[in-house]
Amino acid sequence: MQVLNTESALRMHLADRGRSGSVGFVPTMGALHQGHISLIKRSKAENSLTVCSIFVNPSQFNDPRDFERYPRQHEADTAMLENAGCDILFSPSAETVYPGPDTHTYRLGPVAERLEGRFRPGHFNGVASVVKRFLEMIRPDRAYFGLKDYQQYLVVRHLTEEYKIQTEIIGCETVRDPDGLAMSSRNKLLSPTDRRKALELFKSLSAAKDAVKRGEKSGLKSIGENYFIGSEKPRLEYFEIADGETLKPIGDGDISRIAHPVALVAAHVNGVRLIDNMALR
Ligand code: PAF
């Protein structure tokens, strides 16, 4: 695996891609887990060259403390990528990613304004900024995003359509621990007690999905929210039922007419903000 830090080194290595076939890209902020590795494996299966980036992007953190405490483990990440057979690890400095001030406002559509967009102002603009920059530097044929960040996946899809970026955006299933907790870099910040509490996110989503399986069509938001009542529970930011294409929330309303209803949740466990989601059909 080549470890590259500069745009010129990256361009040099990618220069003869025409001869070597397609390029797959997995953008990350490091603190890698098996969810990331599943993206690398998918990219390897579908492309002749796989590039993974590690960059903890300051512009997408609306809370500076969250940026400070975001887990960083460069050596362990490098070893994991090497083992997974990644071809290029691109790990640029902030100056390489943002040679000038990062002040542009991107057109991301209504999907970016809902849910995470409401609770984390500026977050998706920061994601758009770094993803667009990486897609321009790497020009991959395909880029792989975990569906745990479902809204991010929809926003990035919108970004590539809006700015006519020729990369196919591929959403990959959330990878879960055996007890259901969605894998996330932030899980590394949880104590064993916190981790047990964090399971309420999965339980609340599963309860909404089970209700749909039993034939219930409405009241699903309340079913999920009930999992967060009590001082020992994670502090709920939102539990929402939404249209899976637009993320327009439907609250406790009837899901019958929605082709792809999805439940989405964000909650804090001992200061660590976690998100998860589940397709309801
Ligand atoms: O999902 C993430 O880890 C980040 O938001 C991403 C896509 C790497 C952009 O910084």
Side-chain angles (χ1 to χ4, degrees):
M1 181 175 74
Q2 295 284 338
V3 182
L4 308 174
N5 309 111
T6 64
E7 190 173 352
S8 53
L10 181 70
R11 283 201 194 284
M12 229 175 67
H13 272 84
L14 294 174
D16 56 2
R17 86 166 83 181
R19 275 175 282 141
S20 60
S22 66
V23 175
F25 172 47
V26 179
T28 83
M29 297 203 298
L32 301 181
H33 48 70
Q34 287 308 314
H36 294 115
I37 297 306
S38 73
L39 304 182
I40 300 287
K41 290 193 174 144
R42 173 99 184 252
S43 172
K44 278 182 65 67
E46 296 178 356
N47 301 283
S48 42
L49 189 91
T50 291
V51 182
C52 176
S53 64
I54 295 184
F55 178 66
V56 186
N57 173 35
S59 75
Q60 72 186 75
F61 286 83
N62 53 315
D63 175 357
R65 276 171 315 167
D66 191 24
F67 175 68
E68 288 306 320
R69 72 192 297 215
Y70 198 84
R72 289 158 170 92
Q73 46 167 58
H74 201 74
E75 272 172 35
D77 287 347
T78 308
M80 278 174 83
L81 290 173
E82 186 96 60
N83 282 340
C86 181
D87 300 294
I88 295 178
L89 164 56
F90 183 47
S91 173
S93 66
E95 291 70 30
T96 296
V97 178
Y98 298 117
D102 176 30
T103 53
H104 190 79
T105 302
Y106 292 90
R107 299 184 303 276
L108 301 175
V111 76
E113 283 157 26
R114 303 180 169 134
L115 304 170
E116 291 296 286
R118 251 185 67 216
F119 287 94
R120 302 187 68 190
H123 167 67
F124 285 128
N125 201 66
V127 170
S129 168
V130 76
V131 168
K132 187 164 178 289
R133 176 86 175 109
F134 276 123
L135 294 181
E136 283 165 359
M137 284 193 280
I138 298 165
R139 286 186 286 117
D141 299 275
R142 302 181 185 89
Y144 297 84
F145 290 81
L147 289 177
K148 183 184 75 68
D149 297 298
Y150 184 66
Q151 190 172 5
Q152 169 173 276
Y153 159 71
L154 293 181
V155 170
V156 170
R157 245 179 39 185
H158 184 94
L159 174 81
T160 53
E161 281 159 23
E162 182 71 30
Y163 291 89
K164 305 199 177 349
I165 298 169
Q166 302 299 316
T167 297
E168 187 187 352
I169 303 302
I170 298 175
C172 304
E173 277 314 309
T174 302
V175 179
R176 297 180 181 280
D177 285 337
D179 58 7
L181 185 69
M183 290 194 184
S184 163
S185 302
R186 286 191 170 85
N187 292 354
K188 295 185 203 297
L189 301 171
L190 301 173
S191 69
T193 311
D194 296 339
R195 200 194 162 287
R196 268 195 300 281
K197 284 188 191 172
L199 273 176
E200 298 300 327
L201 280 82
F202 175 67
K203 287 183 193 165
S204 64
L205 296 168
S206 304
K209 185 162 184 149
D210 289 346
V212 173
K213 280 192 197 142
R214 288 194 305 270
E216 290 179 39
K217 295 181 171 59
S218 56
L220 303 168
K221 177 177 163 82
S222 298
I223 289 176
E225 283 177 343
N226 280 338
Y227 281 77
F228 299 90
I229 298 172
S231 56
E232 287 302 295
K233 297 298 177 86
R235 180 167 63 76
L236 184 63
E237 213 158 67
Y238 62 80
F239 183 97
E240 196 50 83
I241 309 296
D243 179 314
E245 292 299 318
T246 61
L247 286 194
K248 206 166 169 195
I250 60 157
D252 267 333
D254 192 332
I255 60 163
S256 310
R257 286 169 189 277
I258 297 176
H260 303 293
V262 57
L264 305 103
V265 63
H268 295 259
V269 180
N270 200 10
V272 180
R273 189 176 186 279
L274 301 172
I275 60 171
D276 197 357
N277 68 84
M278 205 174 270
L280 293 178
R281 282 196 211 105

